[in-house]
Amino acid sequence: QAVPFPPYIRRGVFRLRPQEYCVQRIPDLPTIPNRPMYIFLLVLTVANAVGYQGWSTLYTNFAVHEAGLTGAQNGLVQSLREVPGLLSIGVILLLLVLREHRLAALSVVMLGAGVLAAGFFPSFGGIVFTTMLMSFGFHYFETTNQSLILQYFDVRTAPLIIGRLRGLNAGGNLAIGAVIFLAAGVLPFSGLFAISGGLAILAGLWALTQDPRAQGLPVQRRGMVMRKRYWLFYLLTLLGGARRQIFIVFSAFLLVERFEFGVREMTLFFMLNNAVNWFLNPLIGKAINAVGERRLLVMECLSLAGICLAYTVVEARWLVGLLYVLDQIFFNFIVAVRTYFQKIADPADIAPSMAVSVAVNHVAAVVVPVVGGMLWMMDFRIPFYLGAALAGCSLVATLFMRVPARGASC
């Protein structure tokens, strides 16, 4: 059921076109279309979060204290961890022989196996092997998860589903973080890794017994799909991936190196960010329906550019901590790029295009940390100037967004 926007919004700065004056009510959980697929993806999303966040929480201490990795070896492991993202195009080949929901379930099992095994191989070679296994599972699930959401849910429901699942992902991160915090003094690393990986494996095995497919959906094209009319989607994905690396690599490094935040303080930031995301992401899905992708992304770009510039001048510890939390909040708006693609794409292009987009995103993940690290050695401010410039480029690109008018009858 559609409801009109209040008059003050219709007359306000948004200046919505007549066909945009309405937005679907958020469907209650029992009335969500394709509910079997929603439950399927919900379970796998939480399992993926538990497995990956468990690995992320334990990896550094395990690598240093158990495996004795050097800084160079750790850097190599982190670089290799991003390679499966570049190879996400391989999903296209696997879909020639596997159904997409099966591949999603197998990916979570693979992730869980890599995490579970990690604690039993405290050596450089063992860590490389288990990390690659975990990373292939993580990236292939992310690819199929994005694809299945956009295939099975319409342009009004998809943002809500994405928001809910991202919120649950944050909840899964918090839950496994709490478990590890409580069990760390009792269990060895092998036991902690086994908890995270084992839960992911169990969820993946359950998913292999399910068949959440619906009838009447467009058949996905086989093989790689890259179309000229999708250029803006590819560009926004690349710029978003580059900007994301500034946050992941250099914002946290700034807090630790220059402002001397300790382990407990960084853990509190992690918990706060996930708690905020748990509640915020469903609201972002509603905002996409309310004001549209373009307005939301413009807000994101302006905010992130300002935050990056603020990183270069701030001196107070509490203020840099606030910037770090705001950075995470505004970057969640990037999901609007996916829902924009859903609205402009041929429905049969979604699965292969999601594989291409993950690969494009990870081009930046491989390049930016290396280049940014060299720039940091010259002046710590330069990577953040680069981040502001990337946000500015994203802003210019966003202004080219044109979404076909839909739902005028509402």
Side-chain angles (χ1 to χ4, degrees), residues 76 129 146 169 174 177 217 238 247 281 325 344:
L76 180 57
F129 171 74
Q146 294 175 27
N169 186 85
L174 280 172
L217 295 177
L238 179 63
F247 171 75
N281 275 296
V325 174
I344 65 168

Side-chain angles (χ1 to χ4, degrees), residues 86-397:
L86 283 173
L87 299 179
S88 293
I89 293 176
V91 168
I92 297 171
L93 299 177
L94 292 173
L95 291 179
L96 297 175
V97 295
L98 285 172
R99 297 192 181 277
E100 197 164 4
H101 70 283
R102 297 284 187 208
L103 179 56
L106 286 172
S107 297
V108 173
V109 172
M110 186 186 304
L111 176 144
V115 175
L116 187 149
F120 297 98
F121 295 93
S123 65
F124 175 65
I127 287 179
V128 169
F129 171 74
T130 56
T131 297
M132 293 295 287
L133 183 64
M134 177 279 300
S135 187
F136 269 108
F138 174 79
H139 287 99
Y140 279 28
F141 171 71
E142 285 297 305
T143 302
T144 52
N145 180 43
Q146 294 175 27
S147 171
L148 289 169
I149 291 172
L150 299 185
Q151 288 179 58
Y152 277 77
F153 303 99
D154 62 39
V155 296
R156 288 294 189 181
T157 310
L160 310 178
I161 298 298
I162 292 173
R164 286 186 177 186
L165 293 182
R166 284 175 66 90
L168 289 168
N169 186 85
N173 290 343
L174 280 172
I176 193 62
V179 170
I180 290 174
F181 180 82
L182 294 173
V186 180
L187 297 177
F189 277 106
S190 57
L192 297 173
F193 276 116
I195 291 174
S196 298
L199 290 172
I201 290 174
L202 289 175
L205 292 176
W206 169 84
L208 284 172
T209 67
Q210 306 301 304
D211 187 3
R213 289 175 295 165
Q215 301 299 319
L217 295 177
V219 177
Q220 297 298 294
R221 287 191 172 86
R222 307 276 179 151
M224 184 181 296
V225 172
M226 292 194 74
R227 302 194 188 281
K228 184 178 180 180
R229 70 176 187 268
Y230 301 156
W231 70 270
L232 184 57
F233 168 67
Y234 301 141
L235 178 59
L236 289 171
T237 299
L238 179 63
L239 292 171
R243 172 62 189 83
R244 178 64 172 170
Q245 291 305 309
I246 300 294
F247 171 75
I248 291 175
V249 178
F250 299 106
S251 297
F253 198 59
L254 178 73
L255 267 63
V256 174
E257 186 191 67
R258 296 193 62 85
F259 290 89
E260 299 181 348
F261 282 86
V263 174
R264 288 182 177 274
E265 291 168 311
M266 293 304 294
T267 301
L268 287 175
F269 277 124
F270 155 75
M271 296 178 67
L272 178 60
N273 281 341
N274 279 285
V276 170
N277 290 342
W278 190 355
F279 293 101
L280 179 67
N281 275 296
L283 299 179
I284 292 174
K286 298 177 185 180
I288 291 173
N289 279 347
V291 301
E293 288 86 353
R294 181 176 169 178
R295 294 177 180 87
L296 207 63
L297 289 173
V298 166
M299 185 188 306
E300 179 217 18
C301 295
L302 291 173
S303 301
L304 293 179
I307 289 170
C308 280
L309 293 176
Y311 277 136
T312 67
V313 297
V314 69
E315 297 290 343
R317 293 178 90 245
W318 70 268
L319 188 53
V320 76
L322 176 62
L323 290 173
Y324 184 73
V325 174
L326 292 175
D327 201 344
Q328 172 70 29
I329 289 173
F330 282 109
F331 199 85
N332 283 312
F333 292 5
I334 197 67
V335 298
V337 174
R338 292 184 219 162
T339 60
Y340 160 72
F341 176 72
Q342 183 188 30
K343 292 175 181 177
I344 65 168
D346 183 331
D349 289 345
I350 288 177
S353 295
M354 286 299 103
V356 171
S357 74
V358 172
V360 168
N361 183 283
H362 280 77
V363 171
V366 173
V367 175
V368 170
V370 177
V371 175
M374 292 187 291
L375 295 174
W376 179 284
M377 298 301 293
M378 298 168 57
D379 188 332
F380 82 93
R381 300 175 184 85
I382 299 179
F384 297 108
Y385 291 140
L386 175 61
L390 289 168
C393 292
S394 295
L395 174 62
V396 173

